[in-house]
Amino acid sequence: MMIKIGLLGLGTVGSGVFSILEKHAETIKRKVGTDLKIEKVLVKDKDKQRDLDFDDQILTDDIDEIINNEDIDLLVELIGGENPAYDYIIAALNSGKSVVTANKLVIAKYEQEIMGLAREKGVQINYEGSVAGGIPVIRPLKESFAANKIERLYGILNGTTNYILTKMTNEEREFDEVLAEAQSLGYAERDPHSDISGADAAYKISILSSIAFETSIDINGVYVEGIEGIELEDIKLAEELGYVIKLLAIAKYHQDGLDVRVHPAFISKEHPLALVNGVYNAIYLHGDAVGDVMSYGQGAGRMPTASAVVADIMQAARDIYYQRPEVDNLDSIYNHDLVNISQVENSFYLRLQVKDKPGVLAQITKIFGENQVSLASVIQKHRLSEIVPIVLVTHQVKEENINKSLTAIKGLDDVISIKNLIRVEEL
């Protein structure tokens, strides 16, 4: 029995998957137990020149030639985006085909529906490549850490933002300049919004949270904040205070449910995640039995992501060949509410611009005191100017209390602006 594949998309990752399947065909056959063959490839333009060696007859621009082809056992979706990818995945599952995808958006929004349909049809849905490129994390969460209660999980899950923050830190450059460089090098898209806004990392932490905490995560309930507001001044002050700034994806238990969020955070320079630089990604988790574990590697890119996708293809093909479909037990998931960010406690870094006048700091600290906000440190930079910066770091405090304080502080005549508010995460 030969396992036949319908491949959707021959772009960056799709071409990488094609190359691996061709280059390592004999090794893959030995490990799976049978041959794998790409039967059809869905593309937008069949006449486009491609740097791959294949018979043009496998190309199609008609999805029905794959969905309705009874010889195709496995659909591999690599076109990205919500639609038509979602429709194609649902159609494939309904037709009795197993599916492999690297589509973080579709999995984050429709995971339980898709998994339920796969179980109903007795087929598989694998999506290792959707979260951290070449870093194995989904299967380890399901299998290697299955004996653990995962208590907290932190991730640097977006290479673009990590590259930008690393360059700002190491080379003392401003955000806009480094973003333009990242775009010119291909590390950032022409429209970088999904990356720099934190949306990309939010999809990924939603997927990881659903597995780690055996629950269904509503992506709309995940708090998301990007790095657009981070300035070089904040980077330098973080260094002075013993921290680095990272876009952190966080998921952990809270007394009222699950705390799942994405935002820039100060983390100690001594923590292993602080050493994750450039376009690299990392996942740092704590299980009640295994303790702290960190996985590190390339979280995106043609071949790292293709590596994860091909591993999923091999797993699905092996189970098709031996007729042992692997399904998740959806009956055992827990109901966890997502905690509103206003109820989460953190320490905070706050940078203000104020008039250089006596009593301004006293007014600010009075407001904090009235809102049960305790200050851990205050840095007042003296400059030859009428406007000077004040930097404050708080002790642990509820988000709603810091927000009440900031509303009152904004009303002070001598406060020119609140330049930045960044959470301090004690991992």
Side-chain angles (χ1 to χ4, degrees):
M1 175 185 178
M2 176 183 291
I3 305 299
K4 295 184 178 181
I5 297 167
L7 176 62
L8 310 190
L10 205 56
T12 301
V13 178
S15 62
V17 168
F18 190 98
S19 297
I20 293 174
L21 289 173
E22 292 293 306
K23 181 179 180 181
H24 299 306
E26 287 303 315
T27 300
I28 291 170
K29 177 181 178 180
R30 176 173 54 82
K31 292 182 177 180
V32 171
T34 189
D35 287 303
L36 274 60
K37 179 187 177 185
I38 296 178
E39 184 76 2
K40 282 288 181 181
V41 181
L42 181 73
V43 294
K44 286 184 178 179
D45 181 3
K46 293 194 292 183
D47 298 324
K48 179 180 177 181
Q49 293 296 312
R50 295 176 172 87
D51 189 23
L52 292 169
D53 183 19
F54 56 79
D55 182 349
D56 289 345
Q57 295 303 309
I58 71 170
L59 299 181
T60 180
D61 55 11
D62 183 359
I63 186 63
D64 289 338
E65 290 189 22
I66 295 176
I67 299 296
N68 298 329
N69 187 333
E70 294 182 358
D71 291 335
I72 291 177
D73 308 286
L74 176 61
L75 179 135
V76 180
E77 183 278 306
L78 297 173
I79 58 177
E82 183 169 359
N83 289 306
Y86 165 78
D87 293 332
Y88 294 166
I89 290 170
I90 294 297
L93 294 172
N94 274 318
S95 71
K97 302 183 194 307
S98 289
V99 172
V100 169
T101 181
N103 195 317
K104 54 188 170 287
L105 190 160
V106 168
I107 295 301
K109 293 185 71 172
Y110 305 106
E111 183 179 21
Q112 296 303 314
E113 175 192 349
I114 289 170
M115 289 170 59
L117 181 58
R119 183 173 68 163
E120 177 188 330
K121 298 296 180 179
V123 294
Q124 280 195 60
I125 173 75
N126 292 342
Y127 46 95
E128 184 69 65
S130 66
V131 171
I135 308 173
V137 59
I138 290 175
R139 195 166 294 279
L141 277 174
K142 290 182 175 181
E143 297 177 359
S144 304
F145 301 122
N148 284 258
K149 177 182 180 181
I150 304 300
E151 296 176 344
R152 53 189 178 272
L153 189 154
Y154 302 92
I156 295 173
L157 298 176
N158 183 271
T160 299
T161 51
N162 203 44
Y163 175 86
I164 292 170
L165 292 173
T166 298
K167 284 285 185 176
M168 291 178 71
T169 301
N170 294 344
E171 299 177 11
E172 297 191 353
R173 296 162 64 191
E174 291 288 359
F175 173 83
D176 289 340
E177 179 188 353
V178 180
L179 172 59
E181 176 183 279
Q183 289 172 312
S184 69
L185 294 171
Y187 295 148
E189 300 290 339
R190 182 177 300 176
D191 178 1
H193 175 75
S194 180
D195 292 322
I196 65 175
S197 70
D200 176 82
Y203 295 136
K204 294 171 180 177
I205 194 64
S206 174
I207 293 168
L208 293 181
S209 300
S210 70
I211 300 167
F213 302 110
E214 301 175 82
T215 190
S216 178
I217 300 292
D218 178 4
I219 185 63
N220 296 313
V222 177
Y223 177 82
V224 187
E225 183 182 316
I227 66 167
E228 306 98 316
I230 302 297
E231 298 180 359
L232 181 57
E233 184 75 5
D234 302 307
I235 298 283
K236 291 179 177 178
L237 285 163
E239 169 75 19
E240 185 176 329
L241 292 165
Y243 298 97
V244 296
I245 301 176
K246 295 291 185 183
L247 182 70
L248 210 59
I250 299 165
K252 55 186 176 180
Y253 283 108
H254 183 279
Q255 61 184 11
D256 297 323
L258 288 181
D259 173 14
V260 184
R261 49 194 158 98
V262 173
H263 54 70
F266 277 36
I267 62 174
S268 169
K269 289 191 293 186
E270 305 303 318
H271 194 276
L273 284 175
L275 304 178
V276 178
N277 290 320
V279 295
Y280 280 79
N281 283 193
I283 296 97
Y284 186 94
L285 63 82
H286 182 87
D288 64 341
V290 74
D292 294 330
V293 176
M294 189 170 98
S295 300
Y296 166 87
Q298 296 189 56
R302 179 174 183 257
M303 299 311 288
T305 305
S307 170
V309 171
V310 173
D312 272 351
I313 291 172
M314 292 171 65
Q315 181 64 50
R318 191 181 296 115
D319 289 349
I320 292 169
Y321 181 66
Y322 290 106
Q323 298 183 333
R324 54 180 194 197
E326 177 186 289
V327 295
D328 290 287
N329 183 10
L330 301 182
D331 295 330
S332 67
I333 67 171
Y334 297 100
N335 292 318
H336 290 303
D337 292 328
L338 290 181
V339 178
N340 189 283
I341 189 68
S342 66
Q343 299 305 303
V344 174
E345 290 191 1
N346 269 302
S347 298
F348 290 87
Y349 153 95
L350 174 64
R351 178 163 64 92
L352 307 168
Q353 292 285 96
V354 304
K355 293 179 181 178
D356 190 10
K357 294 171 59 176
V360 177
L361 182 57
Q363 294 178 64
I364 293 169
T365 55
K366 181 175 183 293
I367 289 172
F368 277 131
E370 290 170 347
N371 288 285
Q372 291 80 51
V373 177
S374 174
L375 297 178
S377 63
V378 178
I379 301 173
Q380 192 163 6
K381 299 284 187 179
H382 294 284
R383 297 177 181 172
L384 298 177
S385 170
E386 293 181 357
I387 308 300
V388 296
I390 293 179
V391 177
L392 307 102
V393 178
T394 76
H395 289 294
Q396 289 275 320
V397 61
K398 273 189 179 181
E399 187 111 4
E400 64 179 0
N401 289 16
I402 199 80
N403 287 333
K404 288 177 184 176
S405 301
L406 294 185
T407 299
I409 288 169
K410 287 177 184 176
L412 296 176
D413 292 337
D414 295 325
V415 173
I416 305 303
S417 65
I418 297 173
K419 297 295 290 183
N420 225 331
L421 178 73
I422 303 174
R423 295 161 189 84
V424 181
E425 194 69 29
E426 303 296 341
L427 282 71

